[in-house]
Amino acid sequence: MTKNAAMPESAVAEREEEDIITADEHQIYLNVMSEFEEAKTKRNKYKKYGPLIVVLTGVVFLSLMFTLDSKIEFLILWVVTIILCVALMVKAEYRYHRFRVILGIDKNAEGEESEEDFEEPEDAVDEP
C-alpha cells in the first residue's frame, strides 16, 4: 500500500497542491533572479556607455551645426537624442531598483525609514 493511499483524498489533493505551489514559487524566484541579473547588466552598460554617447552626439551635432545651414534642426535632433538617452538610462535604473525591492535587497525601500535617517550628527551643538 502506498503512502498516499492511506491518507484521505482531500489530504492528498492538498499535498499535491502544496507541491505545485512550492515548485511554482521556486520557478518564479529563479525567473525574477534571471531578470534581475539581466537588468543589472543593462544598467551597468547604460551607466558606462550612456554619458559617452551623450558627449559623442554632442560633438557630432555641434560640428554639423557649425558646418551646415540647418542649425535649428540639428539642435533639435541633439536635444531629442539626449532626452532619449537619459530616459533609457532612467528606465534601466528604475527597473533595477524595482527588482532590488522585490527581492528584498534594498533595506529602506518603499518609504521605510529607519532611526538612522533622523539622527543628528554627534558634533552638532545645541544653542541655548
Side-chain angles (χ1 to χ4, degrees), residues 11-81:
V12 172
E14 287 178 16
R15 183 175 179 106
E16 288 175 354
E17 188 174 307
E18 288 175 8
D19 292 340
I20 291 171
I21 290 172
T22 305
D24 289 340
E25 287 175 357
H26 182 67
Q27 185 62 39
I28 290 170
Y29 174 75
L30 291 177
N31 291 343
V32 169
M33 281 302 294
S34 69
E35 290 291 322
F36 170 71
E37 291 299 324
E38 182 181 322
K40 185 177 179 181
T41 57
K42 278 187 180 180
R43 174 183 168 255
N44 290 337
K45 285 181 184 177
Y46 291 160
K47 280 178 72 173
K48 183 178 181 181
Y49 298 118
L52 181 66
I53 289 174
V54 169
V55 169
L56 289 177
T57 57
V59 169
V60 168
F61 282 119
L62 283 174
S63 65
L64 288 173
M65 282 173 46
F66 290 124
T67 57
L68 299 175
D69 291 333
S70 55
K71 295 178 184 345
I72 299 297
E73 289 86 3
F74 288 123
L75 180 64
I76 290 171
L77 284 174
W78 182 31
V79 169
V80 168
T81 303

